[in-house]
Structures are given as structure tokens and as C-alpha cells.
Amino acid sequence: GVFYMQGVAAFGLSFQYYAFTLNLKERWGLLQMKMVVISNFVLMFYCRIIGFGRICIEMIPILWSGTSALFFIMAVSTAISMQYLNYFFILEAYNKCIKYTFMPLPKSAKKSLSNRKKSETAVAVVTQLKRVMSDIVLQGEESAS
């Protein structure tokens, strides 16, 4: 039972940390993000709602027969509180899933190639300007001496 909670938390954090590394301005990065958020939502829903609910239902007869009434009430109230917390986790995963799943993909790589060519051209222009400026400075130093 504990694995459902701790295991899904570990996977959820791993998905989240991986998603932070993705570049959403690129097509492949956004596709990966879509896969991550859908996987995270499915995993969270199964483990936190279905798995945890099943474990709670299995534990009710065990707690009822072998413990005091106070312990039973405390255990059931804790399970109900945890299930409410699980609903908030599911809601957050659902909202993130909807946000990124329906986000339009960026245009094809041709646009990024043209941006790369523009940046290479800009670097070439700056390099050329540096050469011209250093030539001017050298000429000024030669004429001063």
C-alpha cells in the first residue's frame, strides 16, 4: 500500500524534473512534454485513486475486526483525508495534462534553421566589426607614434 503513494510520488517527481529540462519552443521538446504529462496523469490516477482506494477498502474489515473503535475511526478519517489530498494531486496533474496536450506544436524545423542562419550571420557581422575596429585602433596607434 505504501508503494502506491511513495512510488507514484517518486515517478511524478521524476517526470516533473525531466519536464523542466525540455525546450517547449522546439517541436520534439513539446512532443516529449505531452508524453510526460499524459503518462504522469495516467499513473497518478491509477495509483492514487484506484490503487489507494482498493487498499483502503481491503483494510476496513481488518481494522474493524482487530482494533478498538477509536483506532478504526482515526484510520478511516486519515484514509479519507489522504484521498482528498490525492484528488488535489490528480487535479493538478489533469490541469497540466490539458494545458500541454492541447498546446499547438511549433512550426517545422525550417523556421529554426532560418533563425540559426540569422544568428550565424549576426555573429559573422559582429566578428567583422571587431576586425574593423581593431584595424582602426591599430592605425590610430601607428599614426600617434
Side-chain angles (χ1 to χ4, degrees), residues 46-143:
Y46 176 76
C47 290
R48 291 203 175 258
I49 301 298
I50 297 171
F52 184 73
R54 185 177 51 100
I55 289 170
C56 288
I57 290 171
E58 289 174 6
M59 292 298 292
I60 287 175
I62 295 168
L63 291 172
W64 181 254
S65 65
T67 61
S68 68
L70 180 62
F71 184 77
F72 176 77
I73 291 169
M74 295 293 286
V76 169
S77 64
T78 302
I80 291 170
S81 300
M82 188 65 188
Q83 196 66 339
Y84 280 124
L85 181 64
N86 288 338
Y87 287 128
F88 288 118
F89 290 149
I90 295 296
L91 182 63
E92 190 271 333
Y94 173 77
N95 288 336
K96 189 177 264 189
C97 185
I98 294 299
K99 175 182 176 182
Y100 290 110
T101 302
F102 295 111
M103 187 178 283
L105 291 173
K107 299 293 180 194
S108 66
K110 292 178 184 176
K111 188 172 185 179
S112 63
L113 286 176
S114 67
N115 288 341
R116 190 177 309 148
K117 287 179 184 178
K118 288 178 186 176
S119 64
E120 289 172 358
T121 304
V123 169
V125 167
V126 169
T127 306
Q128 193 69 11
L129 283 173
K130 285 182 182 178
R131 284 187 202 143
V132 169
M133 293 301 288
S134 64
D135 289 343
I136 291 171
V137 169
L138 287 175
Q139 289 175 355
E141 289 176 359
E142 289 175 0
S143 63

Side-chain angles (χ1 to χ4, degrees), residues 3-16 35-52 86 89-90 93 97:
F3 177 75
Y4 276 112
M5 296 295 104
Q6 298 302 323
V8 79
F11 280 113
L13 283 174
S14 299
F15 285 149
Q16 187 175 12
M35 290 185 283
V36 165
V37 295
I38 291 170
S39 301
N40 189 33
F41 175 69
V42 169
L43 184 69
M44 292 277 269
F45 185 82
Y46 176 76
C47 290
R48 291 203 175 258
I49 301 298
I50 297 171
F52 184 73
N86 288 338
F89 290 149
I90 295 296
C97 185

